[in-house]
Amino acid sequence: MTSISSAPDAAATARAFHALFAEISACGATPGGGITRICASAEDGQARRLFANSAREAGADILVDGVGNQFAIFPLADGPGAPLVMLGSHLDSQPKAGRFDGTYGVVAAAAIGAALMRARRAGETFGADFCAVNWTGEEGARFRPSLLGSGAYAGARRIEEALSSRDDAGITLREALDGIGFLGTDRPPPLPACYLELHVEQGLVLEKAKASIGIVTRNWGAAKIDVVFTGEQAHTGPTPMPRRRDALLAAAYLIAEVREIAERWPGRFHSSVGRILVEPNSPNVVPARVELSVELRSADNALLTDAALMAEAAITEAAERAGVVAAIPGRTLRPIRSLPEAVCDLVAACAEETSLRSLRMDTVAGHDAISLLGQCPTGIVFVPSVGGIAHNEAELTRPADLEAGLSVGLLAAWRLCRAGGSPERALLFRRPNDAFGGER
């Protein structure tokens, strides 16, 4: 194996991580200890500036593309045209969410980039440049669909389509990004030679297994259906019940049936209706229009297909029962796919070298890395979530677990940048015993 002659200081990298994480966690902080940092909000703009300033101070060049994705490029290799190793996640959140979801991966990437840059200045040589990325609109809480920025970067949707997405108040993503100063004009970097994403698990698998590192080998599929029921506005007092065309009643029928679909396959299928808009939303008016979002998830393609057909049949039936009209203005499908074995093997080797127990596992939640699957070698690295709590102010990952993931990400990035971005070649590099903070 090829030995690494010198390595970034893991302790200094951890200190830089915690300092920046605390600063960004103050952007949109809630009284309950979480954050509300919706995509392209003022709070999102504050966090974006902190990320950019930190990376710039560490020697990165900052690019902002047409959908607001931020790329912090750390020039490690000699000369132009070097391959790129990319790590990152997202800074936007759900309402009243936890501090760790997404933010962990972005801040870790920034700290790792700074560490590699210090090593470069100390004389280390690299075969690839490094990029820390903050993707726009991963959550889908304000602008839909989710994975919006990474999807645009990977070519899954057109830039103009993404910028035309509207929130519930009618504001477009273009207008919102322009309002916070992040409607970029830079050409994004080319697809990386390898992309890694550090993320909190948002589940109980690692905690139950007492493992420190999760290596994602497959993602669950997801079918998302936007539904609109249109009825007729009427007075809730004198209007006879048989004459009512209640759009909210149709929504209630559908919500119950979507839950019933999940009950058919316990443990193998998840469903939800997490968003609903009612018009005119007055206590004395029969609702005339309801928008809602149906979500279906499974690791079984056939099951997911059957469930989607059941859901669409349930939409039609709900409309008929309530005497309203149903429409499906949007559908998205995230297919089930496996992550590249070479990247999984590299992460496993890095965990083993740092004496951390790892576990290969699925991801039920979607992440920006899913957008890059099939475009370049891609990996997702999980660290434990206390109690599996996610999208909640009580979300928590312990500092030791954050640092464990950081150490694995640092070693993986080091190997990849030394190996020109190739995960297969990166497996040939080993660190000395005293590198990255010593043995655990």
Side-chain angles (χ1 to χ4, degrees):
M1 285 196 171
T2 304
S3 176
I4 298 173
S5 58
S6 62
D9 180 0
T13 306
R15 287 194 296 272
F17 165 81
H18 287 299
L20 182 57
F21 187 82
E23 283 189 279
I24 290 181
S25 294
C27 301
T30 62
I35 56 169
T36 294
R37 194 161 59 229
I38 308 302
C39 175
S41 63
E43 295 80 10
D44 186 29
Q46 292 168 2
R48 286 166 170 267
R49 283 185 283 275
L50 287 171
F51 165 67
N53 290 342
S54 174
R56 191 178 289 112
E57 288 172 4
D61 298 317
I62 309 299
L63 302 177
V64 182
D65 73 4
V67 292
N69 293 322
Q70 291 178 281
F71 303 93
I73 312 292
F74 292 86
L76 303 178
D78 292 327
L84 195 65
V85 172
M86 185 181 288
L87 270 72
S89 194
H90 60 96
L91 291 175
D92 69 309
S93 81
Q94 295 287 342
K96 292 188 177 180
R99 296 177 294 132
F100 302 87
D101 178 2
T103 303
Y104 172 54
V106 176
V107 176
I112 288 169
L116 296 176
M117 198 69 180
R118 289 195 299 272
R120 175 69 177 87
R121 288 168 176 157
E124 190 56 82
T125 58
F126 293 97
D129 292 333
F130 180 83
C131 175
V133 60
N134 167 39
W135 301 110
T136 293
E138 191 272 353
E139 292 288 2
R142 182 179 184 187
F143 299 102
R144 291 171 295 280
S146 56
L147 311 186
L148 197 153
S150 57
Y153 173 75
R157 59 184 54 87
R158 294 179 296 105
I159 298 293
E160 284 303 314
E161 176 191 355
L163 291 175
S164 298
S165 175
R166 293 182 182 273
D167 66 11
D168 293 338
I171 298 169
T172 65
L173 176 62
R174 181 194 299 276
E175 293 166 337
L177 287 171
D178 190 39
I180 63 170
F182 282 93
L183 181 61
T185 58
D186 295 321
R187 183 174 182 175
L191 285 167
C194 189
Y195 175 81
L196 284 179
E197 185 160 348
L198 296 178
H199 209 282
V200 293
E201 181 197 341
Q202 302 177 293
L204 288 164
V205 174
L206 291 176
E207 188 173 72
K208 286 184 175 180
K210 296 183 174 13
S212 298
I213 300 295
I215 303 170
V216 175
T217 59
R218 181 181 64 165
N219 71 283
W220 278 35
K224 300 186 180 185
I225 308 170
D226 293 328
V227 183
V228 176
F229 290 118
T230 303
E232 183 177 27
Q233 186 166 326
H235 197 306
T236 57
T239 306
M241 299 301 290
R243 288 184 52 190
R244 299 188 186 196
R245 298 174 58 211
D246 189 336
L248 186 56
L249 178 61
Y253 290 147
L254 177 61
I255 291 168
E257 183 57 29
V258 166
R259 177 57 182 257
E260 287 298 316
I261 293 172
E263 299 296 340
R264 296 169 185 245
W265 299 285
R268 300 175 56 207
F269 183 85
H270 295 177
S271 70
S272 68
V273 175
R275 170 183 170 269
I276 184 167
L277 297 177
V278 181
E279 295 179 12
N281 203 27
S282 171
N284 293 325
V285 178
V286 174
R289 188 176 188 276
V290 173
E291 288 184 31
L292 65 160
S293 300
V294 174
E295 184 178 280
L296 315 169
R297 297 179 190 249
S298 178
D300 184 318
N301 274 318
L303 191 158
L304 188 60
T305 298
D306 289 346
L309 291 173
M310 290 179 187
E312 295 204 14
I315 293 166
T316 300
E317 182 182 353
E320 291 174 352
R321 289 181 65 187
V324 302
V325 175
I328 299 177
R331 296 179 180 86
T332 58
L333 176 65
R334 184 186 305 148
I336 300 163
R337 289 182 291 180
S338 296
L339 278 73
E341 189 172 340
V343 183
C344 295
D345 289 344
L346 173 61
V347 175
C350 293
E352 182 179 1
E353 279 198 55
T354 47
S355 301
L356 293 166
R357 185 183 174 203
S358 65
L359 181 71
R360 300 197 183 214
M361 59 186 294
D362 287 350
T363 178
V364 181
H367 302 291
D368 287 303
I370 304 302
S371 295
L372 276 69
L373 268 179
Q375 304 291 321
C376 64
T378 302
I380 302 174
V381 182
F382 280 162
V383 293
S385 296
V386 175
I389 297 170
H391 288 180
N392 184 301
E393 291 171 301
E395 177 184 281
L396 177 65
T397 293
R398 295 186 176 92
D401 290 321
L402 295 173
E403 292 176 16
L406 185 64
S407 69
V408 170
L410 176 58
L411 181 52
W414 175 275
R415 285 182 167 202
L416 285 164
C417 289
R418 290 269 293 175
S422 166
E424 292 84 0
R425 287 186 58 208
L427 279 166
L428 301 176
F429 288 87
R430 285 187 64 88
R431 64 172 174 81
N433 287 341
D434 60 346
F436 299 99
E439 294 290 345
R440 286 178 175 266

